[in-house]
Each structure stands twice: as C-alpha cells, then as structure tokens.
Amino acid sequence: MRTPTKPSTGISGRTRTRRAATALATAGLTVASLIGTHSPAFAADGVWYDNDAQVDAMLARTAPLNSSEAIMGYPVSGLETKLTQLAEVESKYPHQKALEDVQDKLGSVFNLDPDVAVKDSPDIRTSSQDDIEPWIPRGPFDNGMTAKEECRRQGISPVPGVAVEPACGFVGVLEKSYPSNGATARVAGGSKLTFKQQATVSKTESDTTGWSVGGKVNAKIGKTDTGEIGVEGSFEYSQSTTTTNGFTSMRDETVETTVPGGHFGWIDERVNGGWYIGYIVYKITLMNGADDAPKQKLVAIPARVLIQSPTTLSPVTWAQRKVTA
C-alpha cells in the first residue's frame, strides 16, 4: 500500500465537494509475477510423519501463524466461497471484540466522528452474502453497492496524486492452520520415488489503497520417472498487517525419497497459512443523503479469509506421510 499523504475517513455519498462522482470510477487490478525464486520447502529429508498433528507441529516452527490477524483494505484474495453465517463467527469471535480489535489493529481511521450523527451502528450482517450497502444505491432498480465496491470506492482519491486511507479492513482469529492443498497417491513401502516440485506465485495488487495485497499460488509435484502429476492445485491468499515476508515463487527441484518398509507412503502438500474467521469491517459516512442529514455507521460482515504466514517466503510445504501397511 502507498503511505497516505492526506487520509480521508471513508466519507460516502453526495458530499459537498461532489466526491461521489469521482469515487464511483472503477479501479482495475493488475497481476504480475513476483520477482525472485528460492528452493521449495520440503520437510526434513528422511522424516516421515505419522499424523496431521506432527505435520502441524513442524509447520508451527517453520511457518508460524498468529492467533489473530488484520488486513487493511478489502481482502482481495483468499475469501472463502462457502457461506459464512453470523452465528458461527459470533461463537468464536464476538463482534464486540472484533470492533475493539479494529481500533487497535487498523487505526483511528475507523473512529466515528463525534460531530456526525450515528445511525444503525454497528450494522452487523447475517452472513458473508449479506454484503450490500443500502446507503449507496447504484440506480433505481438496485439495492446498493457491495462491500467490495464500497471499499474500492473509498480507496479512490478525489484529488489526483493525493493518497487516501479507506476505512475498510478485516479482523479475524485463527480457525484452521496449514490446510492441505492435495496429496499424491499412496505407494507401498520400499518404493523409491523421485519427485519434481514447483510453486509459482502471482501477486494481485491494485493501484488504489482500497485493497489489500495478496496473490494466487499454483503448486505441483509430479513423478519424474512416469511424468505423472501427483498434486496440482491452486489457492488464493491475503497478506496481513503483520506480514514481513511475502510469498515468492519456488524454482523447480527434484527430490528422491524411499517409503519406509511396512508402510504406505504419500506426499502431502500444505499451505503455509491459515483460515481466519472474523469480519470485513468498514466505516461509511453519508454527508448529504436522501434525507439531507449527515450520518455514519460501522458495518461488520462475517467472513473467512486465507492469510499467509507472515514470516516465511515459501507458499507451501511438502510433507512425507506414512501409515502402517
């Protein structure tokens, strides 16, 4: 994100400066490959893990996750496509705590203005699909902007060359660590396997501050002797405010391994990140609405977001797994 030089605070609607006319312009996304590659993350040579808990413990050392995270801007990538209900979020992360965390983790831009009337705040939505903002209808036959559109709009500066800081973000708590992105077929003990592995990262970032940074990972591991692809999958992720190292692409690398006798073995591909459950939160201020009265509110929308481990360069780790034959 660019460093704001003159932040705005999520003002919406028909303002006295006609800001909305500019704000409704769209901002396109650009996709570019990250510069630089490094060796793939493969669990320690010769180590075969018996269960998920052992793999999770290893990853907790090599790709640690924070128990809670925040994203400044709309989480461009990694949103869970399945419905997220308010009740399941509230049971793990009550919205009262989330709104406190917004102030602590995302800053004063979310503070309500003491000189503007507060209406319908906090506006806690029923599910991840309940993301229409009725305060800003787009036309006579439309209910309103989506949260994604509102966050994008807030990131567009009304003055060329002057950056703005949108009052839009995500706060959440860790729900599931290191999800699996796929696994090779199981083979009998004693078999010697030669695998070629690769992971490519494309970074998605906008030219406005209404979006957070994130990206997409395409990872694959295949048997070099047969040309068979054992795992080939992709996932999207977001970066948090705590991220110090972004994911980078992994160069091709060949690994030889032998399944221990008396076992079946396979390779499990794990994402170096976690699913966080929480809320997409934004502040909206309507200075000159239909009732010609200034008003403001905070909106919280249930959501799940896949967030990368903040310190590791590797998007995935391949772990050798075994079970007794």
Side-chain angles (χ1 to χ4, degrees), residues 120-287:
D120 303 326
S121 183
D123 182 355
I124 310 300
R125 304 296 173 82
T126 60
S127 75
S128 54
Q129 294 180 354
D130 186 12
D131 68 341
I132 300 298
E133 180 45 66
W135 281 16
I136 308 183
R138 291 177 296 190
F141 304 105
D142 187 273
N143 291 327
M145 284 188 176
T146 65
K148 183 183 293 187
E149 291 168 328
E150 168 60 14
C151 288
R152 174 186 287 176
R153 187 207 61 74
Q154 289 191 20
I156 300 174
S157 175
V159 180
V162 177
V164 294
E165 185 178 8
C168 176
F170 170 83
V171 288
V173 294
L174 183 61
E175 183 181 44
K176 180 177 177 56
S177 304
Y178 316 114
S180 177
N181 196 42
T184 65
R186 298 187 181 192
V187 297
S191 301
K192 183 177 180 180
L193 303 175
T194 304
F195 287 102
K196 183 178 181 180
Q197 54 193 345
Q198 180 187 40
T200 303
V201 180
S202 56
K203 187 176 179 182
T204 305
E205 188 173 8
S206 76
D207 57 2
T208 75
T209 57
W211 302 90
S212 73
V213 293
K216 182 176 181 179
V217 175
N218 290 292
K220 59 184 178 181
I221 181 170
K223 295 170 68 176
T224 58
D225 53 346
T226 63
E228 172 188 348
I229 296 295
V231 177
E232 186 171 25
S234 64
F235 62 90
E236 293 186 331
Y237 67 93
S238 284
Q239 291 180 355
S240 69
T241 57
T242 64
T243 299
T244 55
N245 287 313
F247 287 157
T248 63
S249 296
M250 297 170 160
R251 60 177 177 263
D252 293 358
E253 189 167 292
T254 299
V255 175
E256 289 189 354
T257 187
T258 301
V259 180
H263 293 80
F264 288 109
W266 71 98
I267 307 297
D268 184 19
E269 180 193 306
R270 294 292 202 95
V271 175
N272 289 339
W275 282 105
Y276 287 78
I277 187 169
Y279 304 87
I280 294 171
V281 180
Y282 63 88
K283 185 182 84 170
I284 182 169
T285 304
L286 200 65
M287 296 303 296

Side-chain angles (χ1 to χ4, degrees), residues 70-91:
I71 295 171
M72 190 65 190
Y74 192 87
V76 159
S77 305
L79 274 174
E80 173 64 77
T81 57
K82 294 185 296 184
L83 181 69
T84 301
Q85 298 278 11
L86 174 61
E88 57 184 321
V89 184
E90 286 285 317
S91 66

Side-chain angles (χ1 to χ4, degrees), residues 13-36:
R14 297 183 296 275
T15 68
R16 296 180 180 88
T17 60
R18 307 297 294 174
R19 188 170 300 176
T22 303
L24 292 176
T26 58
L29 294 178
T30 60
V31 179
S33 296
L34 288 180
I35 298 174

